């Protein structure tokens, strides 16, 4: 199925001008199905020059139990934060808002091909990091937008941030650790939180199939995949900074601030 060319054009304009698409236009241009949404993603990525020399090496996963979704991203949206102090984000970087999702990200040491299973996926992993995804939306009233529009807009992604050193434990431990998140004065901590796919790595074989279908290639060695949040998205503000702790990983902190003007 061909991409919705008008939506591709509007998403590119929103990115370039940092001005959101109107809610009504977003509704009218929303993809008809997932196939069209993925084609819009691919067309926007092409126009941004993300995959001119090689296929995707950065992905983000999302979706509900049994229904994963994904977005291929350019390496320009990836940062590795190794310092102990909080990472600062700026208000004017947002098109509509700044949301944070706590995730795990894996870096593959071996390719993962279509038809591989979860055991193959775990064996292919070289490093696992605590990651934060910075979420945004290139259209107004993001809470009310159709899921297919959000999927087409690279699943609301603005940035992927890896924190600190990689995890040194066993991957079977990842289903038994629970995050502690603080948003301003609000503590978000629940040991019953589980990943929407059951296991943070569960959707990797599905992603290998998607990569083959969309880009004609496996998930190559060196590919980084942010595996989806199991603690929801928290919208940060200048008065509500974000911090998160997860056993075995460096603490992650985000401050939102306005830029200083002369």
């Amino acid at each position: 199925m061909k991409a919705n060319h008008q939506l591709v054009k509007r998403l590119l304009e929103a990115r370039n001008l940092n001005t959101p698409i109107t809610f009504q236009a977003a509704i009218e241009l929303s993809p008809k199905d997932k196939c069209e949404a993925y084609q819009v993603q691919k067309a926007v990525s092409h126009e941004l020059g993300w995959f001119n020399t090689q296929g995707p090496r950065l992905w983000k996963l999302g979706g509900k139990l049994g229904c994963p979704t994904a977005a291929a991203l350019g390496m320009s949206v990836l940062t590795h934060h190794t310092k102990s102090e909080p990472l600062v984000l700026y208000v004017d970087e947002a098109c509509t808002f700044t949301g944070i999702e706590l995730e795990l990200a894996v870096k593959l040491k071996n390719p993962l091909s279509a038809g591989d299973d979860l055991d193959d996926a775990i064996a292919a992993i070289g490093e696992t990091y605590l990651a934060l995804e910075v979420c945004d939306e290139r259209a107004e009233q993001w809470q009310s937008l159709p899921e297919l529009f959000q999927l087409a807009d690279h699943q609301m992604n603005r940035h992927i941030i890896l924190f600190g050193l990689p995890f040194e434990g066993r991957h079977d431990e990842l289903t038994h650790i629970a995050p502690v998140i603080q948003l301003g004065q609000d503590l978000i901590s629940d040991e019953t939180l589980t990943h929407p796919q059951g296991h943070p790595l569960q959707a990797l074989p599905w992603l290998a199939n998607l990569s083959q279908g969309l880009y004609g290639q496996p998930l190559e060695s060196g590919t980084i995949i942010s595996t989806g949040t199991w603690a929801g998205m928290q919208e940060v503000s200048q008065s509500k900074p974000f911090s998160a702790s997860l056993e075995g990983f460096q603490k992650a902190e985000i401050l939102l601030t306005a830029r200083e003007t002369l």
Side-chain angles (χ1 to χ4, degrees):
M1 180 177 289
K2 294 182 179 179
N4 178 336
H5 297 295
Q6 186 62 26
L7 178 55
V8 171
K9 178 182 176 181
R10 297 296 293 273
L11 285 171
L12 288 166
E13 289 174 349
R15 284 178 176 270
N16 291 333
L17 301 175
N18 213 27
T19 302
I21 302 168
T22 66
F23 179 72
Q24 186 60 40
I27 294 296
E28 293 173 356
L29 295 172
S30 186
K32 298 178 179 62
D33 54 37
K34 285 186 177 180
C35 291
E36 184 175 313
Y38 284 120
Q39 291 303 321
V40 169
Q41 277 189 26
K42 189 175 180 180
V44 170
S45 299
H46 174 75
E47 293 298 325
L48 292 173
W50 280 354
F51 312 133
N52 287 348
T53 59
Q54 62 179 8
R57 292 294 187 274
L58 177 65
W59 289 83
K60 65 151 294 183
L61 284 164
K64 300 173 183 177
L65 180 62
C67 298
T69 54
L73 306 170
M75 294 300 288
S76 59
V77 307
L78 179 70
T79 297
H80 190 179
H81 186 73
T82 58
K83 299 179 180 179
S84 57
E85 65 261 25
L87 179 67
V88 176
L89 301 178
Y90 294 100
V91 174
D92 62 1
E93 293 173 337
C95 188
T96 53
F97 78 110
T98 298
I100 301 293
E101 293 185 350
L102 177 68
E103 310 194 4
L104 296 179
V106 298
K107 184 175 183 179
L108 301 183
K109 62 181 179 182
N110 298 314
L112 186 62
S113 301
D116 286 346
D117 60 20
L118 181 57
D119 289 338
D120 296 322
I122 292 174
I125 293 171
E127 297 172 341
T128 302
Y129 291 89
L130 179 69
L132 296 184
E133 180 183 5
V134 182
C135 299
D136 200 350
E137 184 63 279
R138 264 65 63 167
E140 298 172 345
Q141 301 181 44
W142 63 270
Q143 302 95 326
S144 302
L145 290 173
E147 291 184 359
L148 286 172
F149 182 94
Q150 295 174 346
L151 178 60
D153 189 19
H154 287 83
Q155 290 195 141
M156 302 172 65
N157 176 268
R158 190 201 309 167
H159 211 56
I160 300 288
I161 307 160
L162 308 183
F163 276 81
L165 298 174
F167 178 64
E168 296 183 351
R170 302 189 315 273
H171 287 100
D172 58 4
E173 298 173 4
L174 299 180
T175 57
H176 305 296
I177 54 178
V180 176
I181 297 174
Q182 189 154 347
L183 186 65
Q185 300 300 313
D186 299 327
L187 185 64
I188 304 169
S189 179
D190 187 346
E191 293 182 356
T192 66
L193 286 172
T194 58
H195 193 276
Q197 302 303 328
H199 189 297
L201 309 178
Q202 186 68 46
L204 294 185
W206 171 88
L207 183 61
N209 292 333
L210 181 70
S211 177
Q212 189 66 47
L214 282 178
Y215 294 96
Q217 65 177 52
L219 298 173
E220 302 283 5
S221 59
T223 297
I224 296 171
I225 305 154
S226 193
T227 60
T229 179
W230 69 103
M233 181 179 68
Q234 284 75 47
E235 186 172 353
V236 299
S237 65
Q238 290 177 265
S239 62
K240 287 191 173 184
F242 175 100
S243 68
S245 300
L246 193 63
E247 184 180 351
F249 296 91
Q250 174 182 318
K251 184 176 183 180
E253 296 179 275
I254 296 287
L255 299 179
L256 185 67
T257 186
R259 295 184 193 271
E260 295 183 1
T261 57
L262 297 179

